[in-house]
Amino acid sequence: QVQLVESGGGLVQAGGSLRLSCAGSGRTFSNYAMGWFRQDPGKAREFVAAISWSGGSTYYRDSVKGRFTISRNNAKNTVYLQMNSLKPEDTAVYYCNTPLLIGAEIRMGDYWGQGTQVTVSS
């Protein structure tokens, strides 16, 4: 029903920037909240950022507030994650997702992209 493809990952030095993109397909793409999660081998998957279907509300984990910005362009079926002031601890595979926004709670949704690797060197 919804296909998600991430791109934009790469290798950067600490303090650098990357912009991740998630291209979606499906007629109902604009009806979904969108989000980013990340995971390193041996670590639990963790929430990074989310945005409501209209783009009117955004959510971030504390460690990325002020550094990362999530946005979406429904006309292009695309969600973005601008990552600035990157730190080595941001290193992970970043996954696009269709989360459920239940009040202030963010739950993992049913659709995932394949992931894109972000590596931040010191």
Side-chain angles (χ1 to χ4, degrees):
Q1 184 176 0
V2 177
Q3 290 182 294
L4 305 172
V5 180
E6 302 95 334
S7 63
L11 173 64
V12 297
Q13 289 190 315
S17 298
L18 286 173
R19 189 179 76 158
L20 306 184
S21 297
C22 174
S25 62
R27 282 179 280 163
T28 60
F29 176 84
S30 64
N31 292 340
Y32 289 91
M34 299 299 300
W36 292 91
F37 294 75
R38 65 189 182 187
Q39 187 171 24
D40 259 343
K43 301 289 186 179
R45 186 180 301 167
E46 63 183 19
F47 165 74
V48 178
I51 187 168
S52 62
W53 70 268
S54 67
S57 299
T58 57
Y59 311 85
Y60 301 92
R61 69 178 297 108
D62 287 344
S63 63
V64 308
K65 288 180 179 178
R67 300 190 297 121
F68 291 9
T69 302
I70 188 171
S71 62
R72 68 188 299 164
N73 187 329
N74 287 341
K76 296 182 177 180
N77 286 351
T78 304
V79 62
Y80 306 95
L81 185 67
Q82 179 67 47
M83 305 186 295
N84 299 326
S85 301
L86 283 162
K87 304 175 180 180
E89 50 263 44
D90 295 318
T91 295
V93 177
Y94 284 69
Y95 296 93
C96 189
N97 183 234
T98 54
L100 302 179
L101 306 182
I102 311 299
E105 182 182 1
I106 301 173
R107 303 178 183 176
M108 298 179 187
D110 292 336
Y111 301 103
W112 296 90
Q114 84 290 343
T116 185
Q117 176 71 48
V118 171
T119 302
V120 184
S121 65
S122 59

